[in-house]
Amino acid sequence: MVSRAVPFILMVAAIGFWTMEAVPARAEADEAALAAALKNASATLQGGLKASEAQGTPISAKFEIEDGKLQLSVYTMKGNDFMEVVADPNTGAIAKSEKITDAGDLKEAAEQKAAMAKAKVPLLTATETAVKANAGSRAVSIVPELKNGQAMAEVTLLQGTAFKKVTEKLD
């Protein structure tokens, strides 16, 4: 009985090591694809935040590759409703806006709303501050969160092909 368990344990361990290696490699590939796609994008995260204000208060924003295409996605809140506003990465114009209904996305939006409820600094200002403090960088995403009861925002910046995360206080 013990001899049968050993190969099984070794197989589980091998799968565990393989998945630990595969996740960073996939994340690096995703980052490389995002950096490459952003080279030709003229829209900025700041522009997307401004444009989305017509649909509500921005609570997060990010450039992402969705279905193989670059897009600028901004979550907004208006009353108790959450919207995903998608802007064209080349023009910054709003391409579509739809109510968020996915349970996982709603959970993220509710967490972002809770952080923004304590914020005194809008995401646009925090993004501009991070970009100014990191000359030559462009903002790729901003996500608010509560850390020890304080409203903070994690801003992801891109310079060339290197990504960097910085934290900005929102309160």
Side-chain angles (χ1 to χ4, degrees):
M1 187 92 166
V2 172
S3 62
R4 284 184 167 178
V6 172
F8 176 74
I9 291 169
L10 290 173
M11 180 182 73
V12 169
I15 290 170
F17 286 122
W18 175 78
T19 56
M20 285 174 35
E21 287 298 316
V23 171
R26 193 175 110 218
E28 287 174 15
D30 291 347
E31 282 186 351
L34 184 58
L38 282 167
K39 276 185 178 180
N40 300 321
S42 56
T44 64
L45 196 73
Q46 298 91 310
L49 287 165
K50 285 178 196 172
S52 71
E53 289 174 351
Q55 303 296 319
T57 303
I59 58 173
S60 69
K62 66 181 174 181
F63 280 99
E64 63 184 342
I65 297 185
E66 186 78 22
D67 298 326
K69 291 183 179 178
L70 180 66
Q71 72 177 24
L72 174 51
S73 171
V74 182
Y75 280 12
T76 64
M77 64 178 179
K78 190 182 276 189
N80 290 323
D81 289 333
F82 297 112
M83 301 290 290
E84 180 180 16
V85 180
V86 178
D88 183 293
N90 297 313
T91 66
I94 302 300
K96 68 178 180 175
S97 180
E98 57 191 27
K99 189 172 179 176
I100 297 172
T101 57
D102 176 77
D105 292 342
L106 282 171
K107 182 177 184 270
E108 286 178 23
E111 290 169 0
Q112 293 163 3
K113 178 182 179 182
M116 292 307 295
K118 291 194 170 217
K120 294 180 179 83
V121 176
L123 293 182
L124 178 59
T125 303
T127 303
E128 289 171 341
T129 301
V131 170
K132 284 179 189 169
N134 294 275
S137 294
R138 83 181 285 169
V140 176
S141 70
I142 184 164
V143 180
E145 59 189 352
L146 288 174
K147 287 187 179 178
N148 300 323
Q150 278 194 302
M152 310 288 276
E154 182 178 85
V155 183
T156 302
L157 302 168
L158 174 64
Q159 186 169 20
T161 58
F163 287 87
K164 174 182 179 181
K165 292 183 188 275
V166 298
T167 302
E168 292 292 329
K169 290 184 178 185
L170 296 177
D171 56 5

